[in-house]
């Protein structure tokens, strides 16, 4: 019988973390930001149909970066959890904090017990109301949870993007300005990212139960002040 | 029923056992059934029942309306019960039959449609929604055998065809589409007679709302289990219009106007008996 090589736990965890980080760094980033009118989430995403951002519940949205099939599985699980909980109890009993904790537990368990950690970072955003403040929960591949009141940046090159965005961030300005700032922060030194390559969703109170809305390409283009494609 | 702890875990499944966008299938794993599943068939007389629901098509969409009375045998169990609900933004459902299971069916149907839309990123077609409801009625068959019959009427705006459509069902989950109008429940026959006489192609929204209220009004005259407009208590039917803008409930003020008009017509006919 052959004995397996001994690997120190520190080394094992470090290897896994490096692996996950590398996978996530290959993906394009997203920014979630709170402003007076609600929450906006902007992701660089050239695909029109494979979404990174999604509705979870009445006032809760989801964002994922990294490996698509992995965060999409988490997205669906989140919708299931929220809908089951709201159905079993009441709609107001569904909150982002408990969902973020579940994601964290799952990611933490996979990180320590499975061969391969998940190469994802996810964002759970909840629009505040009279009783709750707007909150952004960022959950890392190893189950680390961070909550933010202002903005969160996930994905490749997150630190540099966050630094750029911090300089532009204005919670009291109009939504268009925030969208422009997010685009500029995501673009960095590159030429500005076009409306076609951005996925933008908002959580806003519109007097309806469901606060999630996906902005159409035309709306994004208009907000950014871009010319429609082909007209230039 | 699963323990609460299990319900609150992250619902992840391996691909072979994944329920997909089907919320009802997800819930049935909990087997959370709140109604007893055995009995002697006499349960029907002991639970509140909802009655007349009417729906009709008009040029720009569809109207669905229901009275407000629930009865337990010969008693009025509730004067203000609501039996017409939005199923989602573009469809509505009215229910006749055992109120408890019916309201529960509507609740799970509402979540089902929204759940599908969120998971798939796209809403079900109107036809798909009607088929989902038919499946739920089929699953209720054991309860129906014990007297807990749930009978929905489904109406909505079909965005692909740009028209309103009406679907009816039978206890066994059969699904039928109605061309112009329909009414269900104990006062359904009388309501249908009124709709038959008043309906014509090209009816506008105001005309359709008026006819729907009139159908319920006439049903309430003949059927003790159907409640008429109650000006004394300010209780009026639930009437909703579903068109390309979505589901919209008609104000009580407008319904009161129509009720007064209908009372006036009875007075003028001199047929006060």
């Amino acid at each position: 019988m052959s004995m397996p090589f001994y690997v120190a736990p520190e080394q094992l965890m470090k290897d896994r973390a490096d692996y996950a980080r590398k996978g996530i760094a290959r993906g394009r980033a997203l920014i979630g930001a709170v402003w007076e009118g609600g929450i906006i989430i902007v992701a660089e995403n050239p695909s029109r149909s494979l979404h990174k951002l999604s509705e979870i519940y009445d006032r809760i949205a989801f964002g994922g970066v990294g490996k698509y099939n992995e965060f999409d599985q988490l997205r669906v699980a989140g919708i299931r959890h929220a809908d089951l909980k709201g159905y079993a109890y009441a709609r107001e009993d569904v909150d982002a904090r408990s969902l973020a904790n579940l994601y964290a537990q799952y990611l933490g368990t996979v990180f320590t017990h499975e061969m391969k950690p998940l190469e994802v970072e996810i964002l759970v955003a909840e629009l505040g109301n009279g009783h709750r403040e707007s909150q952004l929960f960022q959950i890392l591949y190893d189950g680390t949870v961070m909550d933010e009141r202002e903005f969160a940046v996930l994905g490749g090159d997150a630190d540099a993007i966050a630094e750029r965005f911090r300089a532009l961030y204005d919670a009291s300005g109009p939504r268009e300005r925030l969208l422009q700032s997010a685009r500029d922060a995501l673009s960095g030194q590159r030429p500005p990212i076009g409306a076609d390559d951005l996925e933008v969703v908002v959580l806003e109170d519109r007097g309806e139960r469901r606060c999630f809305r996906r902005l159409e390409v035309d709306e994004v283009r208009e907000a950014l002040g871009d010319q429609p494609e082909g007209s230039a | 029923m699963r323990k609460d702890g299990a319900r609150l875990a992250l619902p992840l499944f391996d691909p072979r056992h994944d329920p997909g966008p089907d919320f009802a299938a997800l819930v049935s794993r909990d087997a959370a059934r709140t109604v007893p599943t055995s009995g002697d068939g006499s349960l029907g007389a002991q639970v509140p029942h909802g009655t007349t629901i009417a729906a009709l098509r008009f040029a720009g969409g569809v109207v669905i309306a229901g009275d407000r009375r629930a009865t337990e045998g010969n008693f009025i169990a509730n004067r203000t019960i609501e039996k017409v609900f939005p199923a989602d933004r573009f469809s509505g459902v009215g229910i006749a039959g055992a109120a408890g299971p019916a309201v529960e069916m509507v609740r799970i149907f509402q979540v089902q449609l929204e759940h599908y839309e969120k998971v798939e990123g796209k809403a079900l077609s109107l036809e798909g929604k009607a088929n989902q409801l038919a499946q739920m009625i089929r699953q209720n068959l054991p309860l129906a055998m014990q007297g807990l019959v749930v009978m929905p009427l489904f109406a909505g705006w079909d965005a692909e065809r740009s028209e309103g459509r009406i679907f009816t069902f039978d206890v066994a989950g059969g699904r039928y589409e109605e061309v112009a109008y329909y009414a269900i429940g104990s006062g359904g026959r009388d309501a249908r007679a009124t709709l038959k006489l008043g309906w014509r192609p090209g009816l506008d929204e105001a005309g359709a709302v008026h006819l729907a209220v009139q159908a319920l009004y006439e049903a309430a005259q003949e059927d003790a289990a159907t409640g008429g407009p109650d000006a004394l208590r300010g209780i009026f039917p639930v009437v909703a219009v579903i068109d390309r803008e979505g589901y919209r409930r008609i104000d009580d003020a407008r319904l009161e106007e129509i009720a007064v008009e209908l009372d006036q017509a009875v007075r003028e006919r001199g047929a006060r008996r």
Side-chain angles (χ1 to χ4, degrees):
Chain A
M1 203 174 98
S2 64
M3 286 285 285
F5 287 111
Y6 173 77
V7 182
E10 290 91 338
Q11 188 58 43
L12 196 67
M13 292 301 148
K14 192 176 165 298
D15 288 351
R16 283 186 185 170
D18 286 347
Y19 176 85
R21 267 200 290 267
K22 243 182 242 166
I24 294 161
R26 274 196 294 272
R28 295 163 209 230
L30 70 80
I31 299 177
V34 178
W35 96 104
E36 274 178 2
I39 296 174
I40 188 167
I41 312 177
V42 184
E44 185 180 358
N45 183 4
S47 170
R48 287 276 182 88
S49 50
L50 301 176
H51 296 310
K52 290 181 169 184
L53 312 176
S54 156
E55 176 182 11
I56 293 273
Y57 209 62
D58 299 349
R59 310 181 75 83
I60 304 175
F62 174 95
V65 294
K67 211 157 178 263
Y68 176 77
N69 68 322
E70 293 181 352
F71 70 69
D72 196 61
Q73 193 196 9
L74 292 172
R75 174 186 76 88
V76 173
I79 295 171
R80 284 180 182 151
H81 167 77
D83 277 344
L84 277 173
K85 195 172 176 188
Y87 174 71
Y89 303 117
R91 297 199 82 91
E92 56 262 40
D93 294 319
V94 178
D95 67 337
R97 190 193 50 82
S98 102
L99 182 61
N101 282 337
L102 281 175
Y103 279 139
Q105 278 173 25
Y106 180 73
L107 286 166
T109 307
V110 171
F111 183 76
T112 29
H113 294 291
E114 303 286 323
M115 270 292 292
K116 181 191 109 49
L118 295 177
E119 299 155 66
V120 297
E121 248 179 75
I122 56 181
L123 175 75
V124 180
E126 182 174 40
L127 180 65
N129 56 18
H131 309 286
R132 284 184 218 163
E133 256 187 282
S134 285
Q135 267 187 315
L136 303 167
F137 293 95
Q138 182 178 353
I139 304 130
L140 305 188
Y141 56 87
D142 63 351
T144 306
V145 196
M146 292 170 286
D147 68 320
E148 296 286 348
R149 295 270 165 81
E150 295 186 316
F151 67 88
V153 180
L154 287 73
D157 213 15
D159 292 341
I161 294 171
E163 203 172 304
R164 288 197 288 269
F165 189 68
R166 186 168 292 118
L168 301 165
Y169 175 67
D170 174 13
S172 57
R175 187 175 79 193
E176 288 74 18
R177 178 125 44 87
L178 206 56
L179 175 53
Q180 286 159 14
S181 304
R183 190 259 295 261
D184 293 347
L186 287 171
S187 308
Q189 308 302 320
R190 294 177 292 163
I193 301 167
D196 287 290
D197 290 340
L198 287 176
E199 186 182 350
V200 184
V201 303
V202 289
L203 287 169
E204 282 173 328
D205 264 320
R206 292 185 302 272
E208 288 171 29
R209 177 168 61 73
R210 293 164 80 177
C211 300
F212 180 91
R213 195 165 72 87
R214 194 177 287 287
L215 298 197
E216 303 296 330
V217 179
D218 292 342
E219 280 179 275
V220 176
R221 194 171 286 137
E222 196 179 321
L224 291 172
D226 288 2
Q227 295 300 316
E229 230 163 67
S231 75
Chain B
M1 190 168 166
R2 287 198 305 185
K3 289 189 196 78
D4 263 8
R7 167 175 284 157
L8 297 181
L10 205 54
L12 283 153
F13 302 95
D14 85 75
R16 285 162 302 171
H17 302 106
D18 197 300
D22 187 351
F23 182 73
L26 191 63
V27 172
S28 70
R29 285 161 190 267
D30 284 326
R33 289 277 164 262
T34 48
V35 186
T37 49
S38 64
D40 59 3
S42 62
L43 217 47
Q46 297 162 29
V47 300
H49 270 63
T51 39
T52 316
I53 307 292
L56 68 151
R57 294 172 66 187
F58 67 94
V62 64
V63 172
I64 182 165
D67 75 305
R68 306 288 294 273
R69 181 175 290 180
T71 50
E72 263 177 54
N74 58 327
F75 292 102
I76 294 176
N78 196 320
R79 287 176 209 284
T80 56
I81 191 172
E82 298 204 355
K83 308 173 216 171
V84 173
F85 306 91
D88 65 357
R89 233 190 111 201
F90 291 102
S91 65
V93 59
I95 41 140
V103 171
E104 195 55 29
M105 187 180 286
V106 169
R107 215 161 83 86
I108 198 161
F109 183 54
Q110 289 169 329
V111 181
Q112 169 84 324
L113 299 186
E114 193 176 311
H115 187 75
Y116 181 95
E117 188 188 325
K118 289 189 290 192
V119 171
E120 294 289 308
K122 175 174 174 286
L124 266 172
S125 64
L126 191 69
E127 190 108 11
K129 293 174 197 172
N131 286 336
Q132 279 289 311
L133 192 54
Q135 281 172 34
M136 286 183 184
I137 298 164
R138 203 169 300 133
Q139 279 157 14
N140 191 60
L141 193 56
L143 287 180
M145 305 286 274
Q146 296 170 50
L148 295 177
V149 177
V150 173
M151 200 44 61
L153 185 61
F154 181 65
W157 175 257
D158 190 326
E160 304 233 329
R161 297 195 192 183
S162 271
E163 63 179 12
R165 295 170 75 187
I166 298 169
F167 295 92
T168 54
F169 305 86
D170 66 31
V171 176
R175 196 211 79 178
Y176 315 95
E177 181 165 4
E178 304 300 331
V179 179
Y181 60 83
Y182 206 75
I184 58 166
S186 60
R189 221 179 99 161
D190 298 296
R192 281 201 298 278
T194 307
L195 291 170
K196 189 196 233 167
L197 291 171
W199 194 85
R200 58 197 152 71
L203 207 61
D204 65 0
E205 186 192 306
V209 168
H210 191 281
L211 184 56
V213 176
Q214 192 179 4
L216 293 178
Y217 186 91
E218 296 299 337
Q221 306 291 310
E222 305 301 325
D223 174 37
T226 301
D230 187 343
L232 183 64
R233 298 183 181 82
I235 303 166
F236 299 97
V238 176
V239 183
V241 171
I242 308 161
D243 57 15
R244 62 174 72 249
E245 300 296 316
Y247 181 103
R248 169 166 45 90
R249 192 168 160 173
I250 304 294
D251 287 344
D252 275 356
R254 172 83 192 107
L255 300 175
E256 186 168 10
E257 270 173 40
I258 297 172
V260 168
E261 222 176 281
L262 292 168
D263 280 338
Q264 187 64 32
V266 172
R267 213 168 275 135
E268 279 166 16
R269 280 207 298 268
R272 292 185 205 180
R273 276 174 287 182

